[in-house]
Amino acid sequence: LLFLWSFTVSIFGIGGLLGSSGSRYLTVKFGKKKCLLCNNVLMIVAASIMGCSKISQSFEMILIGRFMCGVSAGLCVPLHHQYVGEISPRKLRGFANSTSSFFWTLGKAIGQISGQRELLGSRALWPLLMASCGLPALVQLLTLPFFPESPPYLLMQKGDQEGCKKAIRQLWGEGQHQAEIDDIMKEKATMKNTKILSVLELVKEPAFRWQLYMIVTLTATIQLCGINAV
């Protein structure tokens, strides 16, 4: 039982690793909006599987659902930050990206509170608690189709300048947005002359060694700060 509980908890991280590893390929091939929509479907399916685990008397369904949730979360973290940053006007970009961290923290807090025995953590209601992760995904699935694709993706990956201008007007309103389009074009020209490193190449690159040490140290020590115990 201890092994099964440990595996149930840790399989979320394994799914997250796989999801985040494939995020770059999927965003380049399909675009950020389509990836987010499909990712919401994946989360809703995962929530449904976990919510039905008690009726089916199957702990394997919890394992499968947790793994799928991990994959979805691993895809969502980079996708969400990129999409929010790219559809925001330059003057609001920093603020828009900072809201992501706020809502991640708020979501964790709501999850911890909802999991108390007095609320959804009871013997009868825990399947609802496990299925509740599908509710935000459903909200985004219903609202995201009304948003355009990321303007930088349309211009840099698809070469669709008219589509990019249309998306910018839909997001930021009518006006002169040529400066933003010029910035995207400069970024596209820069990326052509920049080699994209794989994870293994990044680890081996001496120029990024200290930055990599710092990120690994910070990420590792966050897990030791007591937040999980709290």
Side-chain angles (χ1 to χ4, degrees):
L1 284 176
L2 179 62
F3 172 76
L4 284 175
W5 277 119
S6 303
F7 193 57
T8 302
V9 172
S10 59
I11 201 170
F12 178 87
I14 297 171
L17 178 64
L18 293 175
S20 59
S21 300
S23 62
R24 179 182 172 274
Y25 169 78
L26 293 173
T27 53
V28 171
K29 187 171 180 62
F30 300 108
K32 296 172 180 64
K33 179 182 172 181
K34 288 182 181 178
C35 285
L36 280 170
L37 286 170
C38 294
N39 194 45
N40 290 322
V41 174
L42 179 63
M43 181 62 83
I44 292 170
V45 172
S48 302
I49 291 173
M50 291 190 294
C52 295
S53 59
K54 185 179 180 181
I55 298 174
S56 305
Q57 297 183 345
S58 170
F59 72 89
E60 293 90 351
M61 292 176 69
I62 299 177
L63 284 171
I64 294 169
R66 285 277 297 173
F67 177 74
M68 291 172 66
C69 276
V71 174
S72 178
L75 281 168
C76 183
V77 171
L79 275 174
H80 181 79
H81 280 283
Q82 291 173 27
Y83 185 71
V84 169
E86 290 177 2
I87 67 172
S88 305
R90 189 189 304 175
K91 60 182 180 181
L92 296 176
R93 197 161 293 160
F95 170 75
N97 273 321
S98 66
T99 59
S100 302
S101 301
F102 169 77
F103 282 112
W104 277 107
T105 308
L106 180 64
K108 287 182 178 181
I110 292 173
Q112 293 287 350
I113 294 168
S114 302
Q116 299 301 308
R117 294 183 186 278
E118 293 79 6
L119 298 174
L120 295 179
S122 64
R123 187 184 295 270
L125 297 178
W126 67 261
L128 291 178
L129 177 66
M130 301 204 74
S132 63
C133 60
L135 183 59
L138 180 62
V139 172
Q140 192 179 70
L141 186 65
L142 295 175
T143 55
L144 192 60
F146 296 99
F147 286 76
E149 181 56 90
S150 160
Y153 172 79
L154 291 171
L155 189 59
M156 295 170 64
Q157 303 295 336
K158 294 294 186 181
D160 185 0
Q161 190 163 351
E162 285 303 315
C164 175
K165 291 179 180 179
K166 183 180 178 182
I168 287 175
R169 285 195 297 270
Q170 184 178 344
L171 288 165
W172 305 340
E174 297 294 335
Q176 293 296 324
H177 302 296
Q178 191 58 43
E180 285 82 359
I181 295 173
D182 291 340
D183 285 344
I184 298 172
M185 293 299 293
K186 288 178 184 177
E187 185 180 350
K188 183 178 181 180
T190 304
M191 286 183 65
K192 282 184 177 180
N193 301 320
T194 303
K195 181 185 177 185
I196 297 175
L197 301 178
S198 67
V199 176
L200 188 61
E201 289 172 333
L202 177 65
V203 172
K204 291 180 177 179
E205 181 60 50
F208 302 123
R209 192 66 47 81
W210 281 106
Q211 293 95 318
L212 194 63
Y213 287 159
M214 188 179 297
I215 291 171
V216 170
T217 303
L218 284 171
T219 307
T221 50
I222 284 173
Q223 304 302 318
L224 303 174
C225 72
I227 185 65
N228 293 326
V230 171

